[in-house]
Amino acid sequence: MRYERSKKLFSESQLYIPGGVNSPARAFGPVGGSPVIIRRANRSRVYDVDGNEYVDYVCSWGPLILGHSHPSVIAAIRKESEFGTSFGAPTLNELKMAALVCRCVPSVEMVRMVNSGTEATMSAIRLARGFTGRDLIIKFEGCWHGHGDAFLIKTGSSALSQGVPDSPGVPDEVARLSVTVPYNDLEAVKSVLRENPGKVAAIIVEPVAGNMGVVPPGDGFLDGLRSLATSSGTLLIFDEVITGFRVSLGGAQSLYDVMPDLTCMGKIIGGGLPVGAYGGRLDIMQNVSPLGMKVSQAGTLSGNPIAMVAGYTTLLRLCGEDVYADLEATAEKLTSGMMSIAKSNGYPVCIQRVGSMFTLFFHPGPVRNYDDAAKCDTERFARYFHSMLDQGIYLPPSQFESWFVSHAHTEKDVALTLKAHEKALKEAFA
Ligand SMILES: *Cc1c(COP(=O)(O)O)cnc(C)c1O
């Protein structure tokens, strides 16, 4: 049986780990069935415990832009680990890393390393509140900023109402401080700012949304947020945990040429190890403890020397001139091929792509916000997903995620994927 060992191990995992997973998105909940247990990976391929091989478009949910087990990243990790694994003291690696991040990301003048994207967004919000002396934040429906209390908020009855908790354990008092508005809707942001003068600390946004499937910012959306933030004394925070070093070396802020006050980073920045970071304007960052207003934020393993060298080696490779052009070419080839197969058969799907991140929506499109995304045919997607899996193509197990193309994906991978896609679409629409 193709998935026998995976199934057995996963039922055992469920005895000891909630849902058998250390992060819920891995559990195949939205598509049904039992997840494959991964044993190893190389370049564009992952291998499960039953020995099945897959072309991987999850890429650890984004971090592995160079592909799995990149030789220079692995060599750097191996070498560095010989020197010890953690010191709880300043190191040369974190200096080199911070300097490189400030060089790559245009709005970042100073940066603090943390251990995950969640930590980055939580810390950035605290800093924004400390710096502005205000409590409210504006966020967008369908954006994901990790599992901090302030972000686990859904929209109240009116689109402009203040939030209600999206999870048990988030106090109403906390939820009320987050206002959720539709993505790509500047008027809604304007109204919230107008109704709450002098109260909004920050607007936090995924500059390209990646967590309701890929939804690019509409014309003028990011620019509009920039001017609304500036005119209201609100800080603009770009959550570039996915888009940072993904849509360009300088992230979405470079691609769209809009400068946020603070930027949250994660995923690619760790080269496959657990790293997050937040950074931005010097006059703001100079209030993070131990400086200035001493906004609290600390971490025993933050700036871990092995994680830093994995991230640094990855970023250095991304500074090479070829990488983003190659990623664009591979992703273009793949998605145009996928769409021409869909169109020639009249299937009502669309693809939204920015660089090497894209989503195949089971909806004719365009998908501009969460309400649009919610109209997708998730049952057809589930059938498509399982057909692709059975044909050796590993996709994110949810309609509302991004596929990631890495620099290790080849023409052959594209050809294999297109062949599987044609059959999977047929099965999805059967
Ligand atoms: C993944 C993600 C996060 C959370 O990062 P973790 O490392 O999983 O905590 C935050 N924001 C965005 C946009 C993400 O995609």
Side-chain angles (χ1 to χ4, degrees), residues 327-348:
L327 286 167
E328 172 68 26
T330 309
E332 205 318 288
K333 187 152 196 201
L334 176 61
T335 53
S336 60
M338 287 170 67
M339 272 321 287
S340 77
I341 290 169
K343 277 191 189 135
S344 66
N345 291 285
Y347 298 132

mmCIF file of all heavy atoms in Angstrom, residues 327-348:
data_model
loop_
_atom_site.group_PDB
_atom_site.id
_atom_site.type_symbol
_atom_site.label_atom_id
_atom_site.label_comp_id
_atom_site.label_asym_id
_atom_site.label_seq_id
_atom_site.Cartn_x
_atom_site.Cartn_y
_atom_site.Cartn_z
ATOM 1 N N LEU A 327 13.583 32.005 -10.891
ATOM 2 C CA LEU A 327 12.332 31.676 -10.195
ATOM 3 C C LEU A 327 11.131 32.140 -11.004
ATOM 4 O O LEU A 327 10.144 31.418 -11.170
ATOM 5 C CB LEU A 327 12.304 32.329 -8.810
ATOM 6 C CG LEU A 327 13.196 31.701 -7.730
ATOM 7 C CD1 LEU A 327 13.305 32.643 -6.529
ATOM 8 C CD2 LEU A 327 12.643 30.350 -7.288
ATOM 9 N N GLU A 328 11.234 33.357 -11.512
ATOM 10 C CA GLU A 328 10.155 33.925 -12.320
ATOM 11 C C GLU A 328 9.905 33.061 -13.563
ATOM 12 O O GLU A 328 8.758 32.742 -13.889
ATOM 13 C CB GLU A 328 10.522 35.371 -12.713
ATOM 14 C CG GLU A 328 9.593 36.056 -13.713
ATOM 15 C CD GLU A 328 8.200 36.352 -13.155
ATOM 16 O OE1 GLU A 328 8.068 36.501 -11.926
ATOM 17 O OE2 GLU A 328 7.247 36.410 -13.968
ATOM 18 N N ALA A 329 10.989 32.677 -14.216
ATOM 19 C CA ALA A 329 10.841 31.894 -15.451
ATOM 20 C C ALA A 329 10.194 30.544 -15.162
ATOM 21 O O ALA A 329 9.273 30.128 -15.884
ATOM 22 C CB ALA A 329 12.210 31.706 -16.116
ATOM 23 N N THR A 330 10.649 29.861 -14.107
ATOM 24 C CA THR A 330 10.073 28.554 -13.784
ATOM 25 C C THR A 330 8.594 28.681 -13.421
ATOM 26 O O THR A 330 7.747 27.912 -13.890
ATOM 27 C CB THR A 330 10.838 27.900 -12.610
ATOM 28 O OG1 THR A 330 12.230 27.918 -12.898
ATOM 29 C CG2 THR A 330 10.390 26.461 -12.390
ATOM 30 N N ALA A 331 8.285 29.670 -12.571
ATOM 31 C CA ALA A 331 6.908 29.836 -12.114
ATOM 32 C C ALA A 331 6.002 30.240 -13.272
ATOM 33 O O ALA A 331 4.850 29.793 -13.367
ATOM 34 C CB ALA A 331 6.852 30.870 -10.991
ATOM 35 N N GLU A 332 6.508 31.067 -14.178
ATOM 36 C CA GLU A 332 5.739 31.512 -15.351
ATOM 37 C C GLU A 332 5.410 30.313 -16.237
ATOM 38 O O GLU A 332 4.264 30.120 -16.652
ATOM 39 C CB GLU A 332 6.582 32.524 -16.116
ATOM 40 C CG GLU A 332 5.900 33.559 -17.002
ATOM 41 C CD GLU A 332 4.755 33.100 -17.860
ATOM 42 O OE1 GLU A 332 4.972 32.376 -18.859
ATOM 43 O OE2 GLU A 332 3.604 33.488 -17.556
ATOM 44 N N LYS A 333 6.425 29.519 -16.489
ATOM 45 C CA LYS A 333 6.258 28.354 -17.347
ATOM 46 C C LYS A 333 5.218 27.398 -16.751
ATOM 47 O O LYS A 333 4.316 26.914 -17.446
ATOM 48 C CB LYS A 333 7.611 27.659 -17.483
ATOM 49 C CG LYS A 333 7.604 26.560 -18.465
ATOM 50 C CD LYS A 333 8.968 26.341 -19.084
ATOM 51 C CE LYS A 333 8.714 25.495 -20.317
ATOM 52 N NZ LYS A 333 9.805 24.777 -20.808
ATOM 53 N N LEU A 334 5.360 27.152 -15.461
ATOM 54 C CA LEU A 334 4.463 26.216 -14.783
ATOM 55 C C LEU A 334 3.018 26.730 -14.803
ATOM 56 O O LEU A 334 2.095 26.015 -15.199
ATOM 57 C CB LEU A 334 4.937 26.017 -13.338
ATOM 58 C CG LEU A 334 4.061 25.148 -12.438
ATOM 59 C CD1 LEU A 334 3.965 23.728 -12.997
ATOM 60 C CD2 LEU A 334 4.621 25.119 -11.019
ATOM 61 N N THR A 335 2.833 27.985 -14.409
ATOM 62 C CA THR A 335 1.458 28.476 -14.258
ATOM 63 C C THR A 335 0.795 28.723 -15.609
ATOM 64 O O THR A 335 -0.408 28.494 -15.757
ATOM 65 C CB THR A 335 1.406 29.756 -13.393
ATOM 66 O OG1 THR A 335 2.314 30.716 -13.923
ATOM 67 C CG2 THR A 335 1.783 29.455 -11.956
ATOM 68 N N SER A 336 1.569 29.172 -16.603
ATOM 69 C CA SER A 336 0.918 29.371 -17.905
ATOM 70 C C SER A 336 0.536 28.017 -18.491
ATOM 71 O O SER A 336 -0.533 27.876 -19.097
ATOM 72 C CB SER A 336 1.780 30.204 -18.855
ATOM 73 O OG SER A 336 3.003 29.568 -19.077
ATOM 74 N N GLY A 337 1.369 27.013 -18.259
ATOM 75 C CA GLY A 337 1.033 25.652 -18.698
ATOM 76 C C GLY A 337 -0.220 25.135 -18.002
ATOM 77 O O GLY A 337 -1.110 24.555 -18.632
ATOM 78 N N MET A 338 -0.291 25.357 -16.705
ATOM 79 C CA MET A 338 -1.456 24.896 -15.946
ATOM 80 C C MET A 338 -2.734 25.567 -16.437
ATOM 81 O O MET A 338 -3.776 24.934 -16.594
ATOM 82 C CB MET A 338 -1.266 25.190 -14.438
ATOM 83 C CG MET A 338 -0.258 24.276 -13.756
ATOM 84 S SD MET A 338 0.149 24.824 -12.064
ATOM 85 C CE MET A 338 -1.405 24.549 -11.233
ATOM 86 N N MET A 339 -2.646 26.879 -16.684
ATOM 87 C CA MET A 339 -3.840 27.610 -17.116
ATOM 88 C C MET A 339 -4.257 27.218 -18.523
ATOM 89 O O MET A 339 -5.447 27.164 -18.830
ATOM 90 C CB MET A 339 -3.621 29.122 -17.030
ATOM 91 C CG MET A 339 -3.963 29.728 -15.691
ATOM 92 S SD MET A 339 -5.449 29.068 -14.869
ATOM 93 C CE MET A 339 -6.758 29.782 -15.863
ATOM 94 N N SER A 340 -3.277 26.928 -19.394
ATOM 95 C CA SER A 340 -3.707 26.608 -20.761
ATOM 96 C C SER A 340 -4.398 25.242 -20.767
ATOM 97 O O SER A 340 -5.361 25.050 -21.504
ATOM 98 C CB SER A 340 -2.559 26.740 -21.762
ATOM 99 O OG SER A 340 -1.712 25.647 -21.667
ATOM 100 N N ILE A 341 -3.964 24.322 -19.909
ATOM 101 C CA ILE A 341 -4.667 23.035 -19.792
ATOM 102 C C ILE A 341 -6.094 23.253 -19.266
ATOM 103 O O ILE A 341 -7.069 22.710 -19.797
ATOM 104 C CB ILE A 341 -3.882 22.085 -18.850
ATOM 105 C CG1 ILE A 341 -2.593 21.634 -19.525
ATOM 106 C CG2 ILE A 341 -4.742 20.875 -18.452
ATOM 107 C CD1 ILE A 341 -1.617 20.919 -18.606
ATOM 108 N N ALA A 342 -6.201 24.110 -18.233
ATOM 109 C CA ALA A 342 -7.523 24.364 -17.646
ATOM 110 C C ALA A 342 -8.455 25.014 -18.668
ATOM 111 O O ALA A 342 -9.616 24.619 -18.824
ATOM 112 C CB ALA A 342 -7.380 25.242 -16.404
ATOM 113 N N LYS A 343 -7.918 26.005 -19.395
ATOM 114 C CA LYS A 343 -8.753 26.748 -20.360
ATOM 115 C C LYS A 343 -9.208 25.873 -21.512
ATOM 116 O O LYS A 343 -10.367 25.929 -21.925
ATOM 117 C CB LYS A 343 -7.971 27.949 -20.909
ATOM 118 C CG LYS A 343 -8.030 29.144 -19.970
ATOM 119 C CD LYS A 343 -7.494 30.408 -20.645
ATOM 120 C CE LYS A 343 -7.348 31.534 -19.652
ATOM 121 N NZ LYS A 343 -6.056 32.239 -19.816
ATOM 122 N N SER A 344 -8.271 25.037 -22.017
ATOM 123 C CA SER A 344 -8.645 24.230 -23.188
ATOM 124 C C SER A 344 -9.729 23.223 -22.822
ATOM 125 O O SER A 344 -10.417 22.707 -23.685
ATOM 126 C CB SER A 344 -7.418 23.550 -23.789
ATOM 127 O OG SER A 344 -6.906 22.613 -22.878
ATOM 128 N N ASN A 345 -9.873 22.926 -21.522
ATOM 129 C CA ASN A 345 -10.952 22.024 -21.102
ATOM 130 C C ASN A 345 -12.151 22.760 -20.511
ATOM 131 O O ASN A 345 -13.118 22.138 -20.074
ATOM 132 C CB ASN A 345 -10.424 21.025 -20.076
ATOM 133 C CG ASN A 345 -9.446 20.033 -20.686
ATOM 134 O OD1 ASN A 345 -9.857 19.121 -21.385
ATOM 135 N ND2 ASN A 345 -8.171 20.242 -20.469
ATOM 136 N N GLY A 346 -12.043 24.097 -20.454
ATOM 137 C CA GLY A 346 -13.158 24.900 -19.957
ATOM 138 C C GLY A 346 -13.400 24.797 -18.449
ATOM 139 O O GLY A 346 -14.508 25.057 -17.989
ATOM 140 N N TYR A 347 -12.376 24.420 -17.692
ATOM 141 C CA TYR A 347 -12.560 24.337 -16.240
ATOM 142 C C TYR A 347 -12.532 25.738 -15.611
ATOM 143 O O TYR A 347 -11.641 26.527 -15.906
ATOM 144 C CB TYR A 347 -11.455 23.490 -15.595
ATOM 145 C CG TYR A 347 -11.435 22.050 -16.055
ATOM 146 C CD1 TYR A 347 -10.230 21.454 -16.462
ATOM 147 C CD2 TYR A 347 -12.593 21.279 -16.080
ATOM 148 C CE1 TYR A 347 -10.191 20.139 -16.875
ATOM 149 C CE2 TYR A 347 -12.551 19.948 -16.501
ATOM 150 C CZ TYR A 347 -11.351 19.387 -16.899
ATOM 151 O OH TYR A 347 -11.320 18.080 -17.310
ATOM 152 N N PRO A 348 -13.490 26.057 -14.723
ATOM 153 C CA PRO A 348 -13.569 27.408 -14.144
ATOM 154 C C PRO A 348 -12.601 27.604 -12.973
ATOM 155 O O PRO A 348 -13.004 27.673 -11.820
ATOM 156 C CB PRO A 348 -15.032 27.480 -13.667
ATOM 157 C CG PRO A 348 -15.375 26.054 -13.326
ATOM 158 C CD PRO A 348 -14.591 25.188 -14.259
#
